[in-house]
Amino acid sequence: MNSPSGGDLYGFRDAQGEQGRSCSVRGYCSPAHESTGPELVRDLVSLIQQAEADNAVKVLVFRSADPDYFISHVDVTRIKEYREEAAKLTGEASIALLFRYLSASRLVSIAQIEGRARGAGSEFVLACDLRFAARESAIFGHPEAGTGVSPGAGGIQHLARLMGRARALEVMLSAQDYGAELAERYGWINRALPAKELGNFVRSLAHRIAKFPAAGVVTVKDRVNAIALAPVEDFRRDSDLFGEGARSPEAQRRFLAALKRGFQTRDAEMDLAGLLGGLADD
Amino acid sequence: MNSPSGGDLYGFRDAQGEQGRSCSVRGYCSPAHESTGPELVRDLVSLIQQAEADNAVKVLVFRSADPDYFISHVDVTRIKEYREEAAKLTGEASIALLFRYLSASRLVSIAQIEGRARGAGSEFVLACDLRFAARESAIFGHPEAGTGVSPGAGGIQHLARLMGRARALEVMLSAQDYGAELAERYGWINRALPAKELGNFVRSLAHRIAKFPAAGVVTVKDRVNAIALAPVEDFRRDSDLFGEGARSPEAQRRFLAALKRGFQTRDAEMDLAGLLGGLADD
Amino acid sequence: MNSPSGGDLYGFRDAQGEQGRSCSVRGYCSPAHESTGPELVRDLVSLIQQAEADNAVKVLVFRSADPDYFISHVDVTRIKEYREEAAKLTGEASIALLFRYLSASRLVSIAQIEGRARGAGSEFVLACDLRFAARESAIFGHPEAGTGVSPGAGGIQHLARLMGRARALEVMLSAQDYGAELAERYGWINRALPAKELGNFVRSLAHRIAKFPAAGVVTVKDRVNAIALAPVEDFRRDSDLFGEGARSPEAQRRFLAALKRGFQTRDAEMDLAGLLGGLADD
């Protein structure tokens, strides 16, 4: 999710986006497969700060230039580093609180998902206000339990509320991949749409919302968040539990075994669910 | 939703209803497209009072004689008036609290929706205990954000709990129309049924429930409401926020622009989502 | 749900199960149609105690040897007896608290449902962490309101959270049977699967989860339960309300009328929804 080019941090790859800063919809486009690491978190902090400071910006759209990956899970070798980047916005070394900051922002955020969104990638998507996925190609997953840890960036809070107890447990205990249609049925995403319609649908919706008066939009967000966005302390607790889990000898052993099998590489993670299942047999 | 005739206030248009006051299922039939205004609210207050006073009445069924409209959003030119009618039942000038009163009543309420239910019309439907819609023709929408205000009659409370955060935000921020099938997938309604089966399905269900002992039915309602019906103060707050929003210069300007384009007329509201989208370009 | 044989209390009917106590997945197989009565509750208490005491056991799978029935509702003639069996685990004479104990356990429980699961049978299924059903044959229902009582073993707590207010009310006020596909759409179960795939799916998932480190699994369960598992006092209250309802003259009269029509027999309960509808005409 590095900005594709320095001067085009918000650059939507369409006519509207290219009109510059007067545009009320800004897109952010991840260039390639990348773990949630310090660079991505730094970019996200910068994006949110700049967009919030510009009253003309009302809607953010996130998508990826890599058709196979939206955003991957955290880089387990750089947890301390990416957490420190998050602290630059929220004062706390936790991406759970950074993601929650986005959910609570006056900005309306929309995720347009064509590829894989797992772990913190799924949690980023869950932090966005709206999320639409390509029916044919989008894949969602929470691999944490497969390495002995638990989702630490808000996934537990969102999934339990969106899907209910049994489906949230299934998703997080199975560490399986879920296609877009099943993700829609489970409430993980708003809707799965045909890939060829997805971009236009999201663009049209983003511009429609951006034209409505800010007052009603902000009130709706605030009131819905008061009901359906978990308190800061619950995000913080999940973040702490992930940190404790990741430092445990059992998780460290699993991380190493997984890294040997290609964990955190583009190719091996095409089938991360399979990698984790094999890991259990080590 | 005026009573079709004075002496037939509860009159179901079927054999059961015509058997008179000994019938435990009462239907209420809206005659034609009408905004949620003082007349409709007065009728609703009267209906609830009479039905609650009659121990033989156990189930209320609401439907519309107009195939295109169930109940429309509030009449934005008569907010003070319809609110005063609501106060006659609950003591508070708010239809949010009137609708919540129905949800908390010992009466089981069922909405049978063949046409449009938007804004307060959707909120009335959400206040009913059960709601079934014609797959081919029913349409749901929350147009409030399109005019700069927020849903004030309980929609935020119900939708956030029924759909979860992302879909509730989508529905209320997009101000789009939603067909019955998508409304079912999002949990807005219990189920979308073929139009030609809908009436029999609802009638049969209403009479089945009405024959069960009151004790179990009331306990189930009370216990479910304790979990899933938001507190009075949250309905009141949303109602106040709608009132404040509607008095703002921005919303007043939008209301006027919308009225010029046919807002609150039967024909223009056939495509209200389109009207609001065009409005944004004014 | 008697144990099929004394020495095979956890005996899965497959190779893994037959490997004995070193196996981390244990299955429990109900032999035939049986109400939730003292024998079943005693067996369940024993199963949970033994499985929790054995650190090697991580996942429990529940299924039935009777293709038509998973577990039936409570035996209304033996309420005091089965409640006393439940007290042996939790100290309180309530199956609501026994079922909740299972939900809160470190053990991951999975229900594999091929036949009918009604009343307490549905509530047992809802207490399991995951539940998968045969699309062609599984049937779910809450018949309590048909006899004037309310679900007392956690059904209200789970259904209101899983389905939202309107669908939970529909299910519990209608006392109708629901097929597996509709149960999936309503969130009653995780998923409906083709009957011939169901067993392999569940077995594979159970063994996958059992191989993951316990730490992450337990943290996920604890954190999800903190959000989505209702407090003990709400289960206790529903249990008390069921007890009070069942002792009322109206419910006693209904129970007798139902028993005359074959209530609590295998044949008559093949269409329990029809039996209850006819009862209302008595």
Side-chain angles (χ1 to χ4, degrees):
Chain A
M1 213 176 77
N2 288 314
S3 60
S5 74
D8 190 30
L9 186 64
Y10 311 111
F12 226 169
R13 294 311 156 82
D14 64 17
Q16 289 89 348
E18 290 164 7
Q19 286 162 10
R21 296 187 64 84
S22 64
C23 178
S24 55
V25 175
R26 295 293 162 78
Y28 189 63
C29 184
S30 166
H33 170 249
E34 184 182 20
S35 290
T36 301
E39 295 78 13
L40 182 147
V41 175
R42 186 165 52 233
D43 282 353
L44 185 60
V45 165
S46 166
L47 171 71
I48 294 173
Q49 286 175 325
Q50 292 182 48
E52 284 203 323
D54 182 349
N55 282 330
V57 180
K58 295 183 173 174
V59 179
L60 295 177
V61 175
F62 296 89
R63 62 192 181 88
S64 169
D66 184 328
D68 292 323
Y69 289 91
F70 182 76
I71 299 178
S72 288
H73 58 82
V74 296
D75 183 341
V76 299
T77 68
R78 303 179 74 186
I79 296 174
K80 190 163 178 291
E81 288 171 78
Y82 71 68
R83 285 186 161 192
E84 282 168 2
E85 292 298 333
K88 291 176 184 168
L89 184 64
T90 65
E92 291 198 49
S94 159
I95 56 169
L97 297 179
L98 171 62
F99 289 177
R100 193 186 183 285
Y101 183 100
L102 180 66
S103 304
S105 165
R106 68 161 181 84
L107 299 163
V108 175
S109 47
I110 309 180
Q112 173 183 331
I113 309 132
E114 269 124 358
R116 285 156 183 75
R118 298 197 193 100
S122 162
E123 291 170 304
F124 174 76
V125 157
L126 288 163
C128 287
D129 297 323
L130 316 182
R131 41 197 171 272
F132 300 93
R135 182 173 294 155
E136 299 88 342
S137 57
I139 288 175
F140 301 86
H142 271 280
E144 292 87 347
T147 54
V149 295
S150 53
I156 294 173
Q157 300 304 318
H158 286 295
L159 293 176
R161 286 169 174 80
L162 287 167
M163 301 185 177
R165 184 175 178 275
R167 288 172 174 169
L169 286 174
E170 177 199 329
V171 160
M172 292 188 279
L173 297 182
S174 76
Q176 278 287 3
D177 280 344
Y178 288 74
E181 274 193 71
L182 187 52
E184 179 189 307
R185 276 154 60 198
Y186 275 23
W188 204 328
I189 56 175
N190 288 55
R191 261 183 275 175
L193 297 167
K196 66 180 198 300
E197 297 172 17
L198 179 64
N200 282 339
F201 177 87
V202 168
R203 190 176 304 114
S204 167
L205 177 60
H207 285 278
R208 181 177 172 91
I209 295 173
K211 285 178 194 163
F212 291 155
V217 170
V218 166
T219 301
V220 166
K221 268 203 71 168
D222 284 351
R223 295 299 290 160
V224 169
N225 281 343
I227 300 161
L229 184 61
V232 165
E233 52 267 32
D234 290 326
F235 281 80
R236 186 184 291 132
R237 178 76 182 129
D238 289 347
S239 181
D240 290 347
L241 287 167
F242 168 79
E244 291 168 23
R247 286 188 297 273
S248 73
E250 171 76 355
Q252 288 290 325
R253 199 186 66 78
R254 288 263 170 167
F255 288 158
L256 282 176
L259 289 164
K260 272 188 210 162
R261 284 170 176 261
F263 188 56
Q264 309 207 151
T265 67
R266 181 189 164 82
D267 282 359
E269 295 214 347
M270 290 297 282
D271 177 24
L272 180 55
L275 186 155
L276 293 171
L279 192 66
D281 296 323
D282 282 0
Chain B
M1 213 176 78
N2 286 315
S3 60
S5 74
D8 190 31
L9 187 64
Y10 311 111
F12 226 171
R13 295 310 156 82
D14 63 17
Q16 289 90 347
E18 288 163 7
Q19 287 163 9
R21 297 187 65 84
S22 65
C23 178
S24 56
V25 175
R26 296 292 163 77
Y28 188 63
C29 185
S30 166
H33 170 250
E34 184 182 19
S35 289
T36 301
E39 294 79 12
L40 182 148
V41 175
R42 186 163 53 231
D43 283 353
L44 184 60
V45 165
S46 166
L47 170 71
I48 294 173
Q49 285 175 324
Q50 293 182 47
E52 285 202 324
D54 182 350
N55 282 331
V57 180
K58 295 183 174 172
V59 179
L60 295 176
V61 175
F62 295 89
R63 61 191 182 90
S64 169
D66 184 328
D68 292 323
Y69 288 91
F70 181 77
I71 300 178
S72 286
H73 59 83
V74 296
D75 182 342
V76 298
T77 68
R78 303 180 74 187
I79 296 174
K80 190 162 177 292
E81 289 171 78
Y82 72 69
R83 286 186 159 191
E84 283 169 2
E85 293 296 334
K88 290 175 186 169
L89 183 64
T90 64
E92 291 198 49
S94 158
I95 55 169
L97 297 179
L98 172 62
F99 289 177
R100 193 186 182 285
Y101 182 101
L102 179 66
S103 304
S105 165
R106 68 162 182 84
L107 300 163
V108 174
S109 48
I110 310 181
Q112 173 182 329
I113 310 133
E114 269 124 357
R116 286 156 183 75
R118 299 197 193 100
S122 162
E123 290 169 306
F124 175 76
V125 157
L126 289 164
C128 287
D129 297 322
L130 315 181
R131 41 196 173 273
F132 300 93
R135 182 173 294 155
E136 300 88 340
S137 57
I139 288 174
F140 301 85
H142 271 280
E144 292 88 347
T147 55
V149 295
S150 51
I156 293 172
Q157 300 303 318
H158 286 293
L159 293 176
R161 285 169 174 80
L162 288 167
M163 302 185 176
R165 184 175 179 274
R167 288 173 174 169
L169 286 174
E170 177 200 329
V171 160
M172 292 189 279
L173 297 183
S174 76
Q176 277 287 3
D177 281 343
Y178 288 75
E181 274 193 71
L182 188 52
E184 178 188 309
R185 276 154 60 197
Y186 275 23
W188 205 326
I189 56 175
N190 289 56
R191 261 184 275 176
L193 297 166
K196 67 179 195 301
E197 297 172 17
L198 179 64
N200 282 339
F201 176 89
V202 168
R203 190 176 304 113
S204 167
L205 178 60
H207 286 278
R208 182 176 172 91
I209 295 172
K211 285 179 194 163
F212 291 156
V217 170
V218 166
T219 301
V220 167
K221 269 204 69 169
D222 284 352
R223 296 298 290 161
V224 169
N225 281 343
I227 300 161
L229 183 62
V232 165
E233 52 267 32
D234 289 326
F235 280 80
R236 187 184 292 132
R237 179 75 183 131
D238 289 348
S239 180
D240 290 347
L241 287 167
F242 169 78
E244 292 168 24
R247 288 189 295 273
S248 74
E250 172 75 355
Q252 287 290 325
R253 198 185 66 79
R254 288 264 171 166
F255 288 159
L256 282 176
L259 289 164
K260 271 189 210 161
R261 284 170 175 261
F263 188 56
Q264 310 207 151
T265 65
R266 182 187 162 83
D267 283 359
E269 294 213 349
M270 290 296 282
D271 177 23
L272 179 55
L275 186 156
L276 293 171
L279 192 67
D281 295 324
D282 282 0
Chain C
M1 215 176 77
N2 287 313
S3 60
S5 74
D8 190 29
L9 186 66
Y10 311 111
F12 224 170
R13 295 309 156 80
D14 64 17
Q16 289 89 348
E18 289 162 8
Q19 287 164 7
R21 296 187 64 83
S22 66
C23 179
S24 56
V25 175
R26 295 292 163 79
Y28 188 64
C29 183
S30 167
H33 170 248
E34 186 183 18
S35 289
T36 301
E39 294 79 13
L40 182 147
V41 175
R42 186 164 53 233
D43 282 353
L44 185 60
V45 165
S46 166
L47 171 71
I48 294 174
Q49 285 175 325
Q50 292 182 49
E52 285 202 325
D54 182 351
N55 281 331
V57 180
K58 294 185 175 172
V59 179
L60 295 176
V61 174
F62 295 90
R63 61 192 181 89
S64 170
D66 184 329
D68 292 323
Y69 288 91
F70 182 77
I71 299 179
S72 287
H73 58 82
V74 296
D75 183 341
V76 298
T77 68
R78 303 180 75 187
I79 296 175
K80 189 163 178 292
E81 290 171 76
Y82 72 69
R83 286 187 161 192
E84 282 168 3
E85 292 297 334
K88 291 175 185 170
L89 183 65
T90 64
E92 292 198 48
S94 158
I95 56 168
L97 297 179
L98 172 61
F99 289 177
R100 193 186 183 283
Y101 183 100
L102 180 65
S103 304
S105 165
R106 69 162 180 83
L107 299 164
V108 175
S109 49
I110 310 181
Q112 172 183 330
I113 309 133
E114 270 123 357
R116 286 156 183 76
R118 299 196 192 101
S122 162
E123 290 169 305
F124 175 76
V125 157
L126 289 163
C128 287
D129 297 323
L130 316 181
R131 41 195 171 273
F132 300 92
R135 181 172 295 155
E136 300 87 342
S137 58
I139 288 175
F140 301 85
H142 271 281
E144 292 86 348
T147 54
V149 295
S150 53
I156 294 172
Q157 300 304 318
H158 286 294
L159 293 176
R161 285 169 174 81
L162 288 167
M163 301 185 176
R165 184 176 179 274
R167 287 172 175 171
L169 286 174
E170 177 200 330
V171 160
M172 291 189 279
L173 297 182
S174 75
Q176 276 288 3
D177 280 344
Y178 287 76
E181 274 194 71
L182 187 52
E184 178 188 309
R185 275 154 62 197
Y186 275 24
W188 205 327
I189 56 175
N190 289 55
R191 260 183 275 175
L193 297 167
K196 66 179 198 303
E197 297 172 18
L198 180 63
N200 282 337
F201 176 88
V202 168
R203 190 175 304 113
S204 167
L205 178 60
H207 285 278
R208 181 176 171 92
I209 294 173
K211 285 179 194 161
F212 291 156
V217 170
V218 166
T219 301
V220 167
K221 268 204 69 168
D222 284 352
R223 296 299 290 160
V224 169
N225 281 342
I227 300 161
L229 183 61
V232 166
E233 52 267 31
D234 290 326
F235 280 80
R236 186 184 292 134
R237 179 77 183 129
D238 289 348
S239 181
D240 290 347
L241 287 167
F242 168 79
E244 292 168 25
R247 286 189 297 273
S248 73
E250 171 77 354
Q252 287 291 324
R253 200 185 65 78
R254 289 264 168 165
F255 288 160
L256 282 176
L259 289 164
K260 271 189 211 162
R261 284 170 175 260
F263 188 57
Q264 310 208 151
T265 66
R266 183 189 163 82
D267 282 0
E269 295 213 348
M270 291 296 282
D271 178 22
L272 180 55
L275 186 156
L276 293 171
L279 192 67
D281 295 324
D282 281 0

